[in-house]
C-alpha cells in the first residue's frame, strides 16, 4: 500500500512539474522592453506569423497571447489580447489612466481575407483630425503591420457630429448585443471612445448585417468616417483592386 501511495505521489509531482514547465517563458535578457522594442519585436516576430503565433503557430514570445501576458501585463487595457492594435501601431487604452480632456473615437476593422484598417477621429487644436491606417496583414489570419497612413483635418463640426450620434445611439451605456451570435467569416469591428473622462469599448461581428439597431447605427458611423477618409480610393491605389471589387468587399450597408 505504501509503495502504491509513493508511486501515485511521484506521478503527481512529475505531472505537476510538466504542467508548470509549459508556462515557463524565457525572456530575452538583452531587450529593454520599451514601447519601441515592444513594437519592433511584434513587427519582426509576430505580425506576419499565422494567427499571430497562436494555435501552435509560434512558441515562447512568438505566440501573441504569451507576449501580451508577459511583456504587456503592465497595461490595463480591455483589448490587450488584440494583436491588431500593435498591427496598426496604435496605443492600447489603459483604463487606469484615462485622459480627462481627451475627445477621441477609434474603430479598428479586421475583415476576413482582406486588408485590415483603422480609423481614428480626435478633436485637436480646434479641429477634427481623422487618421486612416492600413496594415499589410490578411484579416482573420494575421494582423501584419502598419504600411499606410493618411491624415485629414476637418472643421470641429465633424467630431461634434460623431459625438452627438454616439450619444443618440447610447454608446456610453451599451455593453453586449445578444441578438447576433457571430460567425466564421465576416468582419470584427472594435469601437472605442474617450470623452469627459469616460471610456467605452465594444466589439461587434459584421455589424452592418448582424445585430440590433444600435449596432447597425454604429456601423454606419464607421462607414461615414471611412468615406470621409477616402479609404476606398487609397485602397484602390495601394492594392490595384477594381472599384467594383472594393465595393463588394467593403459594402456601405
Amino acid at each position: 500500500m505504501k509503495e502504491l501511495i509513493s508511486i501515485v505521489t511521484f506521478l503527481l509531482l512529475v505531472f505537476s512539474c510538466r504542467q508548470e514547465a509549459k508556462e515557463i517563458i524565457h525572456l530575452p535578457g538583452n531587450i529593454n522592453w520599451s514601447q519601441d522594442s515592444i513594437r519592433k519585436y511584434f513587427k519582426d516576430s509576430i505580425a506576419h506569423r499565422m494567427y499571430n503565433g497562436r494555435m501552435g503557430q509560434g512558441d515562447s514570445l512568438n505566440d501573441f497571447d504569451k507576449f501580451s501576458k508577459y511583456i504587456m501585463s503592465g497595461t490595463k487595457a480591455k483589448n490587450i489580447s488584440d494583436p491588431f492594435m500593435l498591427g496598426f501601431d496604435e496605443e492600447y487604452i489603459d483604463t487606469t489612466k484615462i485622459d480627462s480632456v481627451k475627445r477621441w473615437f477609434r474603430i479598428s476593422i479586421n475583415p476576413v481575407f482582406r486588408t485590415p484598417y483603422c480609423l481614428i477621429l480626435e478633436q485637436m487644436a480646434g479641429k477634427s483630425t481623422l487618421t486612416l491606417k492600413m496594415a499589410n496583414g490578411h484579416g482573420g489570419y494575421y494582423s501584419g503591420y502598419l504600411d499606410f497612413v493618411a491624415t485629414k483635418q476637418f472643421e470641429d463640426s465633424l467630431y461634434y457630429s460623431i459625438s452627438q450620434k454616439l450619444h443618440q445611439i447610447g454608446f456610453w451605456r451599451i455593453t453586449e448585443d445578444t441578438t447576433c451570435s457571430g460567425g466564421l467569416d465576416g468582419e470584427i469591428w472594435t469601437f472605442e471612445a474617450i470623452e469627459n473622462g469616460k471610456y467605452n469599448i465594444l466589439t461587434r461581428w459584421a455589424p452592418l448585417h448582424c445585430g440590433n439597431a444600435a449596432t447597425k447605427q454604429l456601423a454606419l458611423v464607421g462607414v461615414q468616417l471611412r468615406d470621409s477618409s477616402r479609404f476606398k480610393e487609397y485602397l484602390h491605389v495601394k492594392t490595384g483592386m477594381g472599384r467594383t471589387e472594393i465595393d463588394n468587399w467593403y459594402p456601405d450597408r
Side-chain angles (χ1 to χ4, degrees):
M1 184 66 177
K2 289 183 179 179
E3 291 181 357
L4 178 59
I5 292 174
S6 298
I7 291 171
V8 170
T9 302
F10 174 75
L11 290 174
L12 287 173
L13 286 171
V14 170
F15 180 75
S16 175
C17 289
R18 286 180 178 175
Q19 288 293 95
E20 290 177 4
K22 290 181 180 178
E23 293 298 319
I24 294 175
I25 299 294
H26 298 287
L27 302 180
N30 60 339
I31 299 180
N32 175 23
W33 292 105
S34 64
Q35 286 300 313
D36 287 342
S37 60
I38 284 174
R39 293 175 189 281
K40 184 178 188 307
Y41 188 92
F42 176 84
K43 181 179 180 180
D44 294 344
S45 304
I46 302 176
H48 297 98
R49 191 178 294 272
M50 185 63 74
Y51 307 126
N52 289 106
R54 294 160 162 163
M55 296 186 282
Q57 300 301 311
D59 56 9
S60 189
L61 292 184
N62 295 334
D63 176 335
F64 183 77
D65 287 335
K66 293 183 175 65
F67 184 76
S68 173
K69 177 180 178 181
Y70 288 94
I71 303 302
M72 301 193 297
S73 60
T75 301
K76 307 305 179 185
K78 293 184 178 180
N79 58 341
I80 197 68
S81 61
D82 180 1
F84 280 84
M85 289 298 98
L86 281 180
F88 292 126
D89 198 19
E90 278 289 294
E91 299 289 339
Y92 292 93
I93 301 302
D94 190 324
T95 56
T96 67
K97 303 174 182 177
I98 301 300
D99 187 339
S100 61
V101 299
K102 194 177 184 71
R103 299 172 69 83
W104 170 93
F105 181 53
R106 178 169 69 192
I107 309 174
S108 62
I109 297 95
N110 171 11
V112 176
F113 314 132
R114 286 159 280 158
T115 298
Y117 65 102
C118 181
L119 299 159
I120 307 102
L121 177 66
E122 187 168 10
Q123 185 186 54
M124 298 174 62
K127 297 286 184 180
S128 296
T129 300
L130 177 62
T131 301
L132 164 67
K133 294 186 173 185
M134 287 188 261
N136 55 10
H138 200 44
Y141 291 114
Y142 55 89
S143 65
Y145 201 75
L146 180 70
D147 71 343
F148 180 88
V149 180
T151 300
K152 295 179 66 178
Q153 284 197 332
F154 300 83
E155 295 301 319
D156 250 1
S157 56
L158 177 61
Y159 179 85
Y160 283 121
S161 170
I162 296 300
S163 174
Q164 185 177 35
K165 287 181 180 179
L166 293 181
H167 282 282
Q168 289 171 347
I169 294 168
F171 176 83
W172 301 102
R173 301 186 303 275
I174 297 174
T175 53
E176 296 182 44
D177 181 351
T178 59
T179 66
C180 180
S181 58
L184 296 177
D185 295 334
E187 301 179 334
I188 298 174
W189 294 38
T190 300
F191 303 86
E192 298 173 84
I194 296 175
E195 192 172 281
N196 299 325
K198 295 187 297 182
Y199 168 77
N200 196 20
I201 179 171
L202 304 173
T203 299
R204 298 290 187 262
W205 182 83
L208 281 169
H209 309 291
C210 187
N212 59 25
T215 290
K216 292 175 181 176
Q217 288 175 56
L218 273 175
L220 291 178
V221 170
V223 169
Q224 177 186 346
L225 290 180
R226 187 181 69 189
D227 290 345
S228 296
S229 75
R230 298 173 59 195
F231 165 75
K232 291 185 177 181
E233 296 174 48
Y234 289 129
L235 186 66
H236 170 67
V237 174
K238 179 177 183 288
T239 65
M241 289 174 62
R243 300 302 178 96
T244 301
E245 185 180 10
I246 290 174
D247 286 340
N248 290 336
W249 278 113
Y250 300 91
D252 295 333
R253 293 187 178 275

